[in-house]
Amino acid sequence: MIVRKSVGRVKSLLFLLTVLLFFFATYNLVATIMEHKADGLEQSNRKLMRSNAKFHVAVTATDSAYNQWQCRIMYYWYEKVKEMRGSEMGKFTRILHSGRPDQLMDEIPTFVVDPLPEGLDRGYIVLNRPWAFVQWLEKADIQEEYILMAEPDHIFVNPLPNLAYGSQPAAYPFFYIKPEENEKVLRKFYPEEKGPVTNIDPIGNSPVIIKKSLMEEIAPTWVNVSLRMKDDAETDKAFGWVLEMYAYAVASALHGVKHNLRKDFMLQPPWDLRVEDRYIIHYTYGCDYNLKGELTYGKIGEWRFDKRSYLMGPPPRNLPLPPQGVPESVVSHASNFWVFCFEIVNHSQS
C-alpha cells in the first residue's frame, strides 16, 4: 500500500513536471514569435515612414579653385555610387554662393545664390552656408522629399541609404561639439525655458539627412542664430571655426528637433582606421606618415596628404600612394583621389 502511494506520488510529480516544461517551452516559443512579429512590424513601420526615401544631395561652395576641385571629386564619386544597390541618392546640386556662375556650371548641376551682404560674414566664409540654403529652398524646384546637406570635402565610399525616419533627421555626432561644456555661452541662444542643453545635439549641419519641409522651418533660424553668435565676442571666441555648426545644432533644438545620431554616417582619417560600412570619407584632417606607415600627426610626414596643400588647384596626377602599413581609411582616401586625378582633373587640363 505504501509502495503504491509512493508510485502514485512519483507519477503525479512527473506529470506536474511535464506540464511545467510544456508551459515554459510554449511560452518561450510564443515570446519568440511575438518578438519576431514586433521586429517585422517595426521594420514595416520604418519602411512606411520612408515611403518617399530618395534624398537630394546638396553642397554649398564658393567659386575658389580650392572649393572647385573638391566639388569635382565629390560629384565624381557621387555619380559612381548613386546607382549602386542600396543607394537612395536622388539628384545633386552645388549651391554656389558666390553670386555669379563659374566654369563648372556645365560639369556639375549648380544653383547660383547671393552671398551675404559685404562685410556681414566678417571673413568667416561658411557663415554664407545657412543663407545659401535659405535661398535655395525658397527658389529651387526640389523634387525629393529629403535633403542630404554635404560639404565639398566629402567622398562617397559606399551606397548611401536614407538614414532619416519620418520627421527625425539623421546626423553624424562630432566629438568636439560639446553643448554641456558650453552651457554658459549657449544659454544666450537657447534659454532655460526651452529645456536642458542636452536637447542640443552634438552635430553640425553636415552630414545631415532631413525632410525638406523641416529644413525650410529650421534654415531661417539657423541664419539668425549664426549671425547673432558671430556678433557676440564671447561666443565667437569660444566656438571659432565650428560656430556655424553650433548654430545649426541650436536652431534645430529651438524647433524641438532631435537627430538620430549615426556614427556610421562618416569616417575621418587618420583617426578612423577602417572604412567598413561607413558611407562618407571626410578628409578635413591632414594625414602624415613615415615610410614605415607610422602616423606622425603634427609633424610633416615623408608621405602626406592635406587638402590645404592644394589651395590653388587640384592634386597632381602623380600623387603617390601611401606606404604599406597605413590604415585602410587612408588607403581608400588616397586611392579615391588618385583615380579621380588620373581620370578627370589632369586629363581635362592636358
Side-chain angles (χ1 to χ4, degrees), residues 287-297 299-304 321-327:
C287 296
D288 287 277
Y289 291 85
N290 61 29
L291 296 182
K292 296 179 181 179
E294 299 168 335
L295 181 66
T296 62
Y297 194 79
K299 176 183 177 182
I300 294 178
E302 294 171 280
W303 181 91
R304 77 181 321 244
L321 289 174
Q324 288 188 345
V326 303

Side-chain angles (χ1 to χ4, degrees), residues 72-180:
R72 293 185 75 195
I73 191 170
M74 182 193 182
Y75 184 63
Y76 174 85
W77 287 107
Y78 154 81
E79 289 198 305
K80 294 285 187 185
V81 171
K82 178 188 174 185
E83 301 303 330
M84 288 184 180
R85 186 176 179 179
S87 167
E88 291 177 317
M89 304 165 96
K91 293 181 179 179
F92 184 103
T93 299
R94 178 183 62 135
I95 308 172
L96 184 62
H97 54 76
S98 300
R100 59 185 180 274
D102 66 1
Q103 68 269 36
L104 297 184
M105 302 294 290
D106 294 332
E107 180 180 339
I108 304 175
T110 300
F111 192 90
V112 179
V113 297
D114 293 324
L116 288 167
E118 187 175 355
L120 198 58
D121 64 11
R122 300 186 183 182
Y124 181 53
I125 194 69
V126 294
L127 211 59
N128 286 278
R129 184 175 293 155
W131 176 228
F133 270 108
V134 166
Q135 295 174 80
W136 179 65
L137 289 165
E138 286 180 352
K139 300 174 183 178
D141 181 20
I142 307 162
Q143 299 297 318
E144 295 87 349
E145 188 180 353
Y146 291 86
I147 294 167
L148 164 65
M149 293 187 285
E151 295 183 14
D153 59 353
H154 286 177
I155 295 176
F156 297 106
V157 287
N158 280 309
L160 178 59
N162 188 343
L163 302 177
Y165 290 102
S167 294
Q168 185 182 28
Y172 176 81
F174 288 91
F175 70 89
Y176 49 79
I177 302 296
K178 301 176 179 179
E180 290 181 82

Side-chain angles (χ1 to χ4, degrees), residues 65-73 283 307 310 313-315 337:
Y66 179 62
N67 255 195
Q68 285 178 340
W69 68 257
Q70 291 178 55
C71 287
R72 293 185 75 195
I73 191 170
Y283 56 94
K307 65 179 184 178
Y310 307 102
F337 264 89

